[in-house]
Amino acid sequence: MKPVAFEYERPRTIDAALDLLGAESNSKILAGGQTLGPMLNLRLVQPGLLIDITRIPELVSVSDEGDALKIGACVTHAAIEDARVEDHSNGYLRRVASGIAYRAVRTRGTLGGSLSHADPAADWLSALLVLKAELEITGLDGSRRVVLKNFVRGAMETDLSPRELLIAVHVPRSEKTARHGYYKICRKTGEFADAIGAVSFDPGSGAFCMVAAGGSEQPVTFESPENLFSQGDPLDPDSFDMPMAMDALREAGIEADNYELQIRAVAMSRAMQDAMSP
Amino acid sequence: MKKDGIGARLIRKEDDRYMRGRGQFVGDIKPAGMQDAAFVRSPVAHASIRAIKFPDALKGHVFSLADLKGVQPITAVSGLPGFKRSSQPVLADKKVRHVGEMIAMCIAPSRAEAEDMVAQVEVEFDELPAVYDMLKARDAETALVHEEWGDNIFLETLVDDDMKAVEKTAAVKVTREFNTSRQCMCPIEGRGVVAEWDSRLEQLTVHSSTQMPHIVRSGLAECLDLDHGAIRVIAPDVGGGFGFKGILLPEEVCLSWAAMHLGHPVRWLEDRRENLTASANCREHHYVVTAYADNEGKLLGLDAEATVDSGAYSAYPFSACLEAAQVASILPGVYDFPHYRCHTFSASTNKPPILPYRGVARTGVCFAMELMIDAVARELGMEPTDVRMKNLVQPEQMPFDNITNKHFDSGDYPEALRRAIEAIDLKAIRKRQKKTEHDGRKVGVGFAVYCEQAAHGTSIYAGWGIPMVPGHEQANMRLTPDGGLEIRIGAHSHGQGHETTMSQVAHEILGIAHDKIKLVHGDTAYTPYSTGTWGSRCMVMSGGAVAEACDQLAERAKAIAAKMLQCKPKEVSLKDGRAIGPNGELTIEEIAYIWYRKPQDLPADVNPSGLEVIAGYKPDRDSGTFSYAAHAALTAVDTLTGEVEILDYVVVEDGGVLVNPMIVDGQLYGGAAQGIGTALYEEMPFDTEAQPLASTLSDYLLPGPTEVPSMRLFHMETPSPYTRFGVKGIAEGGAIAPPAAITNAINDALAPLGVELTISPVTPRRIVEAIASADTKKVAAA
Ligand SMILES: Cc1cc2nc3c(=O)[nH]c(=O)nc-3n(C[C@H](O)[C@H](O)[C@H](O)COP(=O)(O)OP(=O)(O)OC[C@H]3O[C@@H](n4cnc5c(N)ncnc54)[C@H](O)[C@@H]3O)c2cc1C
């Protein structure tokens, strides 16, 4: 479990990082290393060059853009957990962050690293899907923005090209009336989820978005409560209907057995309870 | 009792260096010129090897069996009749029999470079069908792990009793099938070896993270055809063993060969992937058990068939049959009933060779027996603890020879259970169960009682006929010229705290202060021969030997003191490091000084052996001590997700006289944590090609701090009548009962749903699926 020999660079600017990306085709971006480290050791990746982007000031900065918060890609889970990042989501981001892995991993692991890796069992992916986050990407061929939903192409597959960097995540500011809920089922503390339910619901406007994730398939997004609640009304979380939800997941093309579907439905139901609890 | 002697909760001496990160493990040993080894390991479970190819540039760095001329395979036969012998080549010999088996050894200046070499070695296989399941291994038309055997059975045993009468008359007959999954022992420090050749001494020095340096030395002598005198094995600090390091490793043999032939020291440090994929080697049992009882819950007979997945080879020294043969002899557990039949199979499969893991067969046996008791209780509508009470061996029967001739030395089993019932508060739990929990979970309580044979010696092991039979355990002891005490024992600590407990024994007898007592262990050059640390034997055996040596040393010291004190030796008494006579006293330091530095003051008839003794010890009866415990678990089960929370956990334990109760507590916590792993988390699944499916610790789940509850421990102290101070072996016990107690608790919680789980670990998926299938059955019945 030792990596192949590689070069290591730690650029101080985005441009320098992009130059390195252009110069060495077999290169890999290194953020917190909490996913890449094990992959290197298992030789699942064998890069010639690692480009460590954690010392690029823009990538660790956070700025208020009015209707959204821009969080640099290299902001760590711990920074969010500790409220070193302004909370504009009624406490939701903090709670999600604190449930990722355990502290040692959160201290190093980054928001951008997590989204770039796009593990369907990872927390940020589901949590931010319901908030309609947008990603800011820059590359040798220019910059662009993409909504998270379109960024994820599949399990551990994204729209990011090897010649691009994820720069920041724009998280829309939540309405004061909005309620967010998150529930993760995993075997023990620090484990990736076996099932995730995430929900955002604004009783004021009726805006609703729910995500179910787990296993090795892409998270499923429900933009309407219709097929999930017996009365179709999320105001009463007890009316969340698990058999209906399991059917809805099946209809969405999830190929999972009964146990896997059941725990996803439970996670969705409990996320709803979480959202509506005082 | 001395304040710091037997029974003192002394802080462990070794912890000072451990807590400061100053321990010295194999990975800390770096002789000059050392290179690292990495092994080409088989990616397939069963195949013939057609060719091993690598680039010419790697010649002299990559070695296969053909290069290791004269090296003998590892064989561990058992003398039990019918045992089939396996021969385990240290590198594959034309065939591989499990994933992870070593095929070639690559040696380079660093491990990373050695792994680069591994990547360049190409092995061509002709794959064979894999024997992936121990029950299928017993089928007539199965693939064969060892063709020459004609079947896949290392050993079949039968304890036969006529069950016919019981079958006819028993009011109740309950049959169940149980499985305990294959596990991988995961000490924090993996295995590791540094080997070097000393050309001055013409001696091979092997530093290995082992529990049994002397046995490794004997094994190496056999495989390498070297004299014992040409081999020195050193076990430095060992970061956990649990049985995983109670073995002669093929890696130890390969590295020894390399050190002897390559002209520089070599090192191999197991990584976690090797640990998980090449060495998942314990706990896999299958049982079909039928219990017969009368209407009051009194057991009348037990009829069992047990299969143990022994893997591909017979590991040295415990062999492939220790586990299953133990099953047969200990399945009756703590209970007294008149009829017993047990048929066992040690099946060979294409999996890593089985090793005894903390508790050895007892964890599986306790699971089967204690789940059986609960099943009988449910059948009769009785409280499970009442059924236990009806069948436990009673204190007035002690010492008790049970149905398999196990000699229980002492104890009060019913009292341990009574205390556990009270501590967990069974009555309150039964009340609580009548109401619905606010969170909708179901709570249940479960019990498990076991006893644990420990420190069993010659009379027991001679019968197994395996490469290792423990005899007298020895201690070598010397007073140094400044009155310090050096104790040398051949057993080794892999976390047990011997440096402290042996010191407590010596302090108890000689009164020498702890900071002047030093334990030397883990080095064959310095210590007397010993089979090492296994079977919870060290406190009884090495502790007994240390006490024996102290007694002899005390006599010698008294004789020297008597002359100076102008009295008879028997008028001298030793107290707090002083020799006190009728007219005065001397310190131990003064006595030592006289022997070494002022011999002119010695009595004329002084024992010329001086202040250095070697003493041997065996208990009065060597059939073993029997510590025992009652565990009780209160669990809450989320019936929708299958998640289990342990709300309360109680251990009432009797390990005889405790030398250091704090160390015993630590052993119980650690053991129980591993037991919780067995109960709820740990499982190495294999697919139908015998591929291990968990290759990192994110797939192979170990309980962590948040999964292990604060346990409540209660001690009873019934001395063993046979051992020095009345001590008993105890350190494995914690790992034995949790799977049974926790599963019983889960089954108690789910009984209203008609659910009963009989497989460990009890995973969320297994729970959810069992509930679903019980629902389906109810629907079908309605
Ligand atoms: C023991 C353990 C438990 C864990 N448990 C959880 C959990 O419960 N939930 C959870 O969500 N996660 C979990 N993780 C993963 C953790 O959250 C990681 O931090 C995260 O997945 C990756 O972030 P990183 O900064 O470490 O990225 P790295 O490991 O450095 O990189 C990951 C991948 O993304 C690429 N990359 C990184 N940053 C960028 C960027 N800005 N632009 C383009 N590409 C980039 C890298 O090249 C690499 O391919 C766990 C990790 C460990 C080790």
Side-chain angles (χ1 to χ4, degrees):
Chain A
M1 282 180 72
K2 301 281 182 204
V4 296
F6 55 78
E7 299 294 326
Y8 171 86
E9 295 285 352
R10 197 163 67 193
R12 301 292 164 144
T13 64
I14 292 175
D15 285 344
L18 290 177
D19 286 346
L20 287 165
L21 262 184
E24 163 68 59
S25 60
N26 184 22
S27 60
K28 218 46 195 139
I29 303 289
L30 173 70
Q34 297 306 291
T35 295
L36 191 57
M39 286 169 71
L40 285 167
N41 286 343
L42 294 168
R43 299 198 172 193
L44 295 173
V45 288
Q46 307 194 355
L49 169 68
L50 280 193
I51 307 168
D52 182 342
I53 56 169
T54 55
R55 300 297 163 90
I56 300 174
E58 284 125 291
L59 299 191
V60 290
S61 69
V62 178
S63 54
D64 188 349
E65 313 227 296
D67 57 346
L69 193 71
K70 177 178 169 184
I71 307 177
C74 288
V75 169
T76 62
H77 313 325
I80 298 172
E81 174 183 25
D82 297 350
R84 278 179 272 148
V85 172
E86 188 216 340
D87 175 36
H88 69 319
S89 64
N90 309 335
Y92 176 71
L93 292 183
R94 277 186 78 179
R95 266 187 299 135
V96 171
S98 69
I100 298 174
Y102 33 80
R103 185 69 196 191
V105 173
R106 298 198 288 275
T107 304
R108 289 190 155 268
T110 67
L111 183 59
S114 180
L115 293 175
S116 307
H117 187 59
D119 185 330
D123 293 284
W124 285 129
L125 188 55
S126 293
L128 292 176
L129 274 170
V130 299
L131 294 190
K132 315 272 193 237
E134 271 185 42
L135 307 187
E136 186 178 333
I137 292 165
T138 198
L140 292 163
D141 312 318
S143 299
R144 62 199 178 97
R145 270 170 80 148
V146 53
V147 294
L148 181 53
K149 199 170 170 216
N150 298 337
F151 174 76
V152 184
R153 290 279 176 80
M156 314 214 190
E157 262 179 67
T158 68
D159 166 57
L160 207 60
S161 95
R163 294 156 60 82
E164 286 179 318
L165 268 184
L166 174 58
I167 296 300
V169 182
H170 295 256
V171 184
R173 182 174 291 280
S174 298
E175 296 296 335
K176 280 276 174 294
T177 48
R179 290 181 164 272
H180 310 302
Y182 192 79
Y183 196 86
K184 170 176 175 178
I185 295 174
C186 59
R187 292 287 302 280
K188 54 173 239 191
T189 307
E191 282 307 305
F192 276 102
D194 291 320
I196 290 174
V199 66
S200 170
F201 173 53
D202 188 343
S205 67
F208 176 90
C209 182
M210 190 178 243
V211 164
S216 54
E217 285 170 278
Q218 269 201 79
V220 179
T221 309
F222 297 93
E223 303 282 359
S224 140
E226 214 171 312
N227 297 323
L228 304 173
F229 293 80
S230 51
Q231 254 75 55
D233 183 4
L235 260 182
D236 173 15
D238 289 339
S239 72
F240 182 87
D241 189 309
M242 298 230 304
M244 276 175 72
M246 285 167 72
D247 282 341
L249 287 167
R250 269 189 215 105
E251 241 158 69
I254 293 296
E255 281 178 36
D257 63 21
N258 278 333
Y259 162 72
E260 292 160 343
L261 286 175
Q262 174 166 327
I263 59 172
R264 272 178 239 194
V266 173
M268 292 163 79
S269 158
R270 291 183 186 172
M272 199 62 225
Q273 298 280 353
D274 178 44
M276 300 310 284
S277 69
Chain B
M1 187 193 98
K2 294 256 179 0
K3 187 167 77 53
D4 290 337
I6 306 280
R9 297 181 76 89
L10 204 68
I11 287 188
R12 301 202 317 174
K13 295 170 120 187
E14 43 274 83
D15 285 346
D16 186 65
R17 71 173 183 279
Y18 289 145
M19 301 313 282
R20 294 176 204 279
R22 291 178 192 153
Q24 285 287 310
F25 300 86
V26 167
D28 297 306
I29 295 167
K30 291 166 189 151
M34 181 183 77
Q35 299 211 2
D36 270 296
F39 290 97
V40 177
R41 291 180 182 271
S42 178
V44 293
H46 199 193
S48 318
I49 296 176
R50 222 181 312 122
I52 303 171
K53 295 180 180 163
F54 52 85
D56 280 349
L58 298 188
K59 279 219 172 89
H61 301 276
V62 177
F63 307 94
S64 65
L65 189 67
D67 299 300
L68 275 59
K69 288 198 181 59
V71 173
Q72 298 299 312
I74 296 171
T75 49
V77 294
S78 160
L80 293 172
F83 180 83
K84 296 195 195 80
R85 175 195 184 92
S86 73
S87 167
Q88 178 182 14
V90 296
L91 292 172
D93 184 8
K94 299 187 209 76
K95 187 174 169 178
V96 286
R97 293 186 177 85
H98 66 87
V99 170
E101 186 167 355
M102 289 145 41
I103 296 173
M105 168 171 61
C106 301
I107 295 183
S110 71
R111 172 70 183 234
E113 290 161 283
E115 289 186 19
D116 291 346
M117 291 179 185
V118 168
Q120 296 174 64
V121 177
E122 209 181 299
V123 185
E124 291 172 10
F125 297 104
D126 286 322
E127 283 197 53
L128 298 164
V131 183
Y132 65 94
D133 177 278
M134 60 175 148
L135 296 182
K136 294 202 169 71
R138 286 171 45 191
D139 289 349
E141 59 286 355
T142 167
L144 295 178
V145 180
H146 300 277
E147 289 84 1
E148 63 281 12
W149 292 4
D151 62 19
N152 288 317
I153 307 300
F154 273 109
L155 183 70
E156 183 178 342
T157 67
L158 183 63
V159 180
D160 206 356
D161 195 349
D162 188 5
M163 303 297 290
K164 281 205 196 77
V166 192
E167 280 168 19
K168 283 215 191 86
T169 55
V172 181
K173 172 184 175 185
V174 180
T175 300
R176 291 287 184 278
E177 190 175 347
F178 302 104
N179 285 285
T180 56
S181 298
R182 199 173 192 81
Q183 284 182 233
C184 185
M185 292 178 254
C186 293
I188 287 186
E189 183 208 20
R191 289 163 171 167
V193 182
V194 172
E196 50 186 322
W197 179 257
D198 185 321
S199 53
R200 178 176 67 87
L201 300 175
E202 294 201 6
Q203 194 181 49
L204 174 71
T205 301
V206 178
H207 307 261
S208 183
S209 182
T210 181
Q211 302 170 214
M212 33 177 59
H214 291 274
I215 295 294
V216 168
R217 185 190 192 206
S218 290
L220 288 174
E222 288 165 23
C223 288
L224 298 167
D225 195 21
L226 285 176
D227 292 340
H228 275 66
I231 306 171
R232 175 181 178 191
V233 176
I234 301 173
D237 282 328
V238 174
F242 315 116
F244 192 63
K245 298 172 182 172
I247 180 177
L248 169 68
L249 292 171
E251 288 90 347
E252 285 165 334
V253 181
C254 289
L255 265 81
S256 295
W257 178 88
M260 292 169 68
H261 289 85
L262 302 184
H264 58 75
V266 282
R267 169 173 82 168
W268 165 73
L269 297 178
E270 180 185 55
D271 66 30
R272 196 52 73 184
R273 194 175 163 86
E274 288 180 293
N275 169 237
L276 290 168
T277 55
S279 293
N281 54 16
C282 58
R283 290 275 195 262
E284 194 172 4
H285 295 193
H286 172 267
Y287 299 85
V288 180
V289 187
T290 301
Y292 299 93
D294 69 14
N295 275 321
E296 264 80 62
K298 179 83 191 106
L299 285 177
L300 302 172
L302 199 75
D303 190 352
E305 185 184 285
T307 310
V308 169
D309 189 327
S310 294
Y313 299 106
S314 180
Y316 187 105
F318 287 109
S319 90
C321 67
L322 179 91
E323 187 105 352
Q326 253 198 13
V327 167
S329 66
I330 62 181
L331 186 60
V334 282
Y335 302 109
D336 179 16
F337 52 82
H339 295 283
Y340 178 57
R341 218 175 79 97
C342 187
H343 197 175
T344 77
F345 298 86
S346 300
S348 182
T349 61
N350 290 117
K351 297 182 193 168
I354 194 162
L355 284 186
Y357 175 26
R358 195 176 199 170
V360 199
R362 285 175 195 86
T363 304
V365 159
C366 179
F367 186 74
M369 190 66 205
E370 292 298 289
L371 263 64
M372 223 42 223
I373 297 276
D374 274 38
V376 168
R378 268 194 294 278
E379 183 75 21
L380 287 165
M382 286 176 70
E383 185 65 73
T385 47
D386 291 344
V387 175
R388 286 191 172 79
M389 283 298 182
K390 281 238 155 66
N391 293 288
L392 285 172
V393 172
Q394 297 297 310
E396 51 290 354
Q397 292 174 283
M398 295 290 181
F400 178 76
D401 291 312
N402 87 343
I403 193 156
T404 58
N405 288 321
K406 294 279 165 192
H407 182 78
F408 299 173
D409 54 347
S410 64
D412 187 341
Y413 300 170
E415 179 59 20
L417 179 56
R418 268 190 291 276
R419 290 190 194 185
I421 292 170
E422 198 175 304
I424 200 100
D425 202 348
L426 179 59
K427 264 204 202 116
I429 295 169
R430 291 297 177 225
K431 251 200 220 145
R432 175 176 176 175
Q433 286 176 314
K434 295 214 168 78
K435 301 195 197 105
T436 353
E437 295 284 313
H438 71 91
D439 55 12
R441 292 190 298 179
K442 297 231 173 283
V443 295
V445 63
F447 292 83
V449 190
Y450 69 88
C451 65
E452 178 197 3
Q453 186 179 23
H456 28 333
T458 318
S459 65
I460 304 292
Y461 274 84
W464 300 103
I466 57 175
M468 172 207 89
V469 179
H472 282 88
E473 193 72 16
Q474 292 176 314
N476 172 206
M477 190 175 286
R478 78 163 66 119
L479 267 180
T480 56
D482 53 0
L485 187 71
E486 282 177 10
I487 307 172
R488 293 152 197 272
I489 59 169
H492 191 44
S493 172
H494 42 99
Q496 291 85 349
H498 291 162
E499 289 167 52
T500 308
T501 51
M502 297 303 154
S503 184
Q504 284 179 268
V505 170
H507 177 80
E508 179 75 25
I509 297 172
L510 297 174
I512 295 175
H514 284 292
D515 60 1
K516 298 217 73 175
I517 304 176
K518 188 171 179 56
L519 181 73
V520 178
H521 57 164
D523 189 334
T524 59
Y526 291 138
T527 64
Y529 197 92
S530 166
T531 53
T533 300
W534 53 272
S536 299
R537 65 192 296 274
C538 293
M539 205 60 251
V540 173
M541 299 303 297
S542 301
V546 167
E548 216 49 51
C550 286
D551 287 346
Q552 292 183 22
L553 202 57
E555 290 315 306
R556 306 230 191 125
K558 283 180 196 172
I560 294 171
K563 180 178 181 217
M564 301 304 287
L565 298 172
Q566 295 179 322
C567 63
K568 297 211 168 67
K570 63 170 178 289
E571 289 176 301
V572 179
S573 61
L574 283 184
K575 199 167 175 268
D576 298 337
R578 287 167 301 144
I580 302 165
N583 321 308
E585 57 178 69
L586 278 182
T587 61
I588 293 263
E589 286 93 321
E590 288 168 311
I591 297 169
Y593 192 82
I594 293 167
W595 166 262
Y596 290 102
R597 315 284 294 269
K598 252 179 137 186
Q600 62 272 32
D601 285 351
L602 290 168
D605 62 348
V606 70
N607 184 334
S609 297
L611 296 177
E612 179 154 359
V613 303
I614 182 142
Y617 172 80
K618 253 191 194 188
D620 302 339
R621 241 195 100 116
D622 74 355
S623 54
T625 61
F626 284 77
S627 53
Y628 59 95
H631 286 213
L634 175 66
T635 60
V637 184
D638 184 328
T639 53
L640 289 177
T641 62
E643 290 167 299
V644 173
E645 185 187 353
I646 302 170
L647 302 175
D648 193 9
Y649 200 93
V650 165
V651 178
V652 180
E653 159 284 336
D654 187 343
V657 172
L658 304 183
V659 172
N660 184 327
M662 182 158 50
I663 287 183
V664 172
D665 287 354
Q667 292 292 325
L668 290 175
Y669 289 131
Q674 289 173 316
I676 288 170
T678 303
L680 298 174
Y681 301 101
E682 294 183 51
E683 175 174 14
M684 178 62 74
F686 282 80
D687 68 11
T688 55
E689 272 150 27
Q691 280 288 341
L693 299 181
S695 59
T696 70
L697 290 179
S698 58
D699 318 310
Y700 188 85
L701 297 185
L702 295 165
T706 52
E707 286 73 48
V708 179
S710 304
M711 290 167 232
R712 296 188 292 134
L713 309 183
F714 302 86
H715 294 292
M716 292 166 57
E717 273 199 33
T718 316
S720 170
Y722 306 127
T723 63
R724 193 73 193 252
F725 309 112
V727 299
K728 296 184 176 188
I730 180 148
E732 294 176 77
I736 294 172
I742 291 166
T743 308
N744 277 338
I746 293 167
N747 285 340
D748 184 55
L750 300 181
L753 306 179
V755 168
E756 184 180 324
L757 289 133
T758 52
I759 301 178
S760 77
V762 185
T763 58
R765 172 184 281 277
R766 289 191 173 120
I767 291 176
V768 166
E769 289 179 348
I771 293 173
S773 92
D775 285 348
T776 320
K777 270 184 216 140
K778 266 185 237 150
V779 172

